[in-house]
Every structure is written in structure tokens, then in C-alpha cells.
């Protein structure tokens, strides 16, 4: 059987201990691809670690159930935060289980073992065997996700974030978790040229924006959640067919506030404490003993403190060019 993909090795200056080589992967078989009928849209080639070549078909053929919940984001768009919010709403605010069971167990990262050189676990197979209803997160672009997502149509929550804030947060993550030791300029240039892992970045969001009216797709922005999460919660509850009192929603908003989540993540609540995972990744990738917090600041517009004026202008031009022809606008 012919492969659904064309996979090409690429040269990169963004190699790191966590991902030593990368490939460009193009979806050729548009069967069930949701945008194929929307003006004949062809998915762009995506950039992923070379290890994924061994899993691309397995992910594409991954069995999807209608009671699945999928959280899809480009990296550093509030994924962990969204996972906790979605899991609690879907499970009737079961804080006890949320305290007792690690978030990564409750909401599984589909492809982490398929991209990370030093993680030996087949996390795709692990996700397939999860007890239903499954909560699964992924950073994969639309073209690399399971084809049954578009026919079975489980609930999908997508979160977009301003690419300038993503750039800064992703750089810190790439350095400390992946072990990258190149320059920040090389990394930012990589994003601007769509050469970083999971790129193309803006098309990642635009593809899901195209599906925003589908009843099984909820499109959110990091900025709206950060500025007024309490006003976003009723929309998420409606999406999951749930109804809670104002007091319950107030308590949930407090639980999900960035400062509270960061505190829970770091020390208060073992079930959301990924600190050990972070330390293990840092040790594997040559950053043991260095200071890093997975949830750093979460500030909207923090890019102004770390991006030079030159790169702010470059990102502004890049975003403007990428959004030509779309009615989507980043919430800046």
C-alpha cells in the first residue's frame, strides 16, 4: 500500500538533544481531510522530528471514538491549562480525582513518544488503550492528525495564541526542555521561516479556524482566557452539555487562575505537578540543575520584554502576510 505521506529529511540549525534531526512531511492522500472540499485546500508540509516518520501512518490510522475529547494547540498556547479546564468540566468538577490522578494520565499527550528521541514509550499505542472516554492532547497540525477525527467527529477544543508571545515562551521551552543551545535569533528566524517543530505555526491555527462553525469544534484564544476566564467558562460548559451554578463557576475560575494553576503545578497538587517530568527532560537533554518553570509568566504581551524592536516588526509583517485572505485575527 502506498504511503499517505511524502517524508523528506531536512537540514536544520535547530537540532537539539531532544530532537536531533527533523523531517518535512507532506500529506498526499486527502481522503477525509476536512479542508479538501473547501476550495481544494492542500495542506502545507509540516516540520516534525525525524522519529515521527515511524509513527505517521499509525497516527493517521488511529481509531477515534465519538466520546473522545481532543485538545489541540500549537506549543505554548495554554495547553496544560486547557487540559485541566476541559477535564474538570467534562467530569462534573471532580476535583478529588483531579487531585489524585496526574493530569498527564487524565489527558494524554498523543505524540510525545513519537517525536522525542529519548522517550522510549510508544505513547500512540498507550493513548489508543486508554479507558474511555479518552482525553487526548496533541500539537500536530491538522494534516497529521488521525483521519477519523473528521468522520467520527468527537469534541475538539483548539486554542490559538499570539505568535509573538508563543515565540518567547517556545524559546524558553526549547532551550530548557529540549536542550537547544543555539541562538535566540536562529530560533526566531526558524519560526519566521516555518522551520521549527510543528510549523507552519499560523496555518496550524487557520485550519482549525476554518472549522470553527462545526458543532464538534470549539475555537478559543489564550488571550481571552487569560484576560477573563470566568466569561469563557459558560461557553466551554455549553460545548460539553454541562451546566453549573455561578458559585461553581466562580470556584472553577479560581482553581484555573494562572497563579493558582502555577502553584498547583509546582507544589500544592501532586496530580498537576509535572515538575518531575520537567526535571527528567532537563537531565536527559543536558540542562540538569538549571532553573526553569514550565508555567513561567503567562502574561499577554510579554514578548515586549524579550523581543527586540527588529523582531517585533518581523513578526508583525509575518503575521500580516500569513493572514491575507482570512478573517481570523490574533487577539493581541
Amino acid at each position: 500500500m502506498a504511503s499517505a505521506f511524502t517524508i523528506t529529511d531536512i537540514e536544520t540549525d535547530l537540532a537539539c538533544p531532544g530532537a536531533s534531526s527533523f523531517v518535512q512531511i507532506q500529506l498526499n492522500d486527502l481522503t477525509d481531510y476536512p479542508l479538501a472540499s473547501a476550495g481544494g485546500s492542500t495542506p502545507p508540509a509540516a516540520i516534525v522530528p525525524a522519529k515521527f516518520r515511524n509513527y505517521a501512518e499509525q497516527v493517521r490510522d488511529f481509531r477515534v471514538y465519538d466520546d473522545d475529547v481532543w485538545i489541540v494547540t500549537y506549543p505554548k498556547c495554554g495547553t496544560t491549562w486547557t487540559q485541566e479546564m476541559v477535564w474538570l468540566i467534562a467530569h462534573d468538577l471532580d476535583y478529588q480525582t483531579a487531585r489524585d490522578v496526574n493530569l498527564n494520565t487524565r489527558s494524554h499527550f498523543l505524540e510525545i513518544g513519537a517525536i522525542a528521541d529519548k522517550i522510549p514509550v510508544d505513547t500512540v499505542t498507550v493513548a489508543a488503550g486508554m479507558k474511555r472516554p479518552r482525553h487526548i492532547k496533541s500539537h500536530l497540525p491538522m494534516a497529521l492528525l488521525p483521519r477519523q477525527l473528521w468522520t467520527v467527529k468527537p469534541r475538539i477544543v483548539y486554542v490559538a495564541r499570539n505568535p509573538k508571545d508563543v515565540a518567547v515562551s517556545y524559546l524558553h521551552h526549547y532551550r530548557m526542555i529540549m536542550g537547544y543551545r543555539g541562538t535566540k535569533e536562529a530560533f526566531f528566524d526558524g519560526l519566521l521561516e516555518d522551520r521549527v517543530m510543528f510549523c507552519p505555526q499560523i496555518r496550524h491555527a487557520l485550519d482549525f479556524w476554518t472549522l470553527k462553525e462545526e458543532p464538534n469544534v470549539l475555537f478559543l484564544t489564550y488571550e481571552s482566557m487569560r484576560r477573563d476566564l470566568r466569561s469563557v467558562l459558560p461557553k466551554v460548559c455549553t460545548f460539553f452539555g454541562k451546566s453549573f451554578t455561578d458559585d461553581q463557576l466562580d470556584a472553577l475560575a479560581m482553581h484555573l487562575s494562572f497563579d493558582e494553576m502555577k502553584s498547583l503545578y509546582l507544589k500544592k497538587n501532586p496530580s498537576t505537578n509535572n515538575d518531575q517530568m520537567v526535571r527528567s527532560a532537563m537531565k536527559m537533554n543536558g540542562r540538569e540543575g538549571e532553573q526553569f518553570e514550565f508555567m513561567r509568566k503567562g502574561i499577554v504581551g510579554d514578548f515586549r520584554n524579550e523581543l527586540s524592536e527588529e523582531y517585533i516588526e518581523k513578526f508583525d509583517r509575518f503575521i500580516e502576510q500569513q493572514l491575507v485572505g482570512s478573517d481570523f485575527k490574533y487577539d493581541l
Side-chain angles (χ1 to χ4, degrees), residues 35-104:
L35 303 186
S37 60
S41 178
T42 300
I47 305 299
V48 289
K51 185 179 180 182
F52 190 76
R53 70 164 72 244
N54 301 318
Y55 292 87
E57 297 285 354
Q58 182 182 349
V59 172
R60 178 169 169 77
D61 294 335
F62 186 89
R63 183 172 182 179
V64 173
Y65 298 99
D66 59 6
D67 59 355
D68 282 349
V69 175
W70 289 70
I71 297 95
V72 183
T73 70
Y74 191 78
K76 311 315 295 181
C77 290
T79 320
T80 301
W81 190 21
T82 304
Q83 287 173 270
E84 181 77 351
M85 172 182 69
V86 165
W87 191 91
L88 281 168
I89 288 173
H91 289 85
D92 298 317
L93 308 183
D94 182 0
Y95 292 109
Q96 185 62 52
T97 299
R99 282 191 292 269
D100 293 343
V101 181
N102 188 282
L103 178 59
N104 289 329

Side-chain angles (χ1 to χ4, degrees), residues 267-279:
K267 55 186 178 182
K268 287 185 181 178
N269 187 347
S271 73
T272 54
N273 185 349
N274 284 349
D275 190 57
Q276 185 57 50
M277 178 274 291
V278 170
R279 301 304 148 197

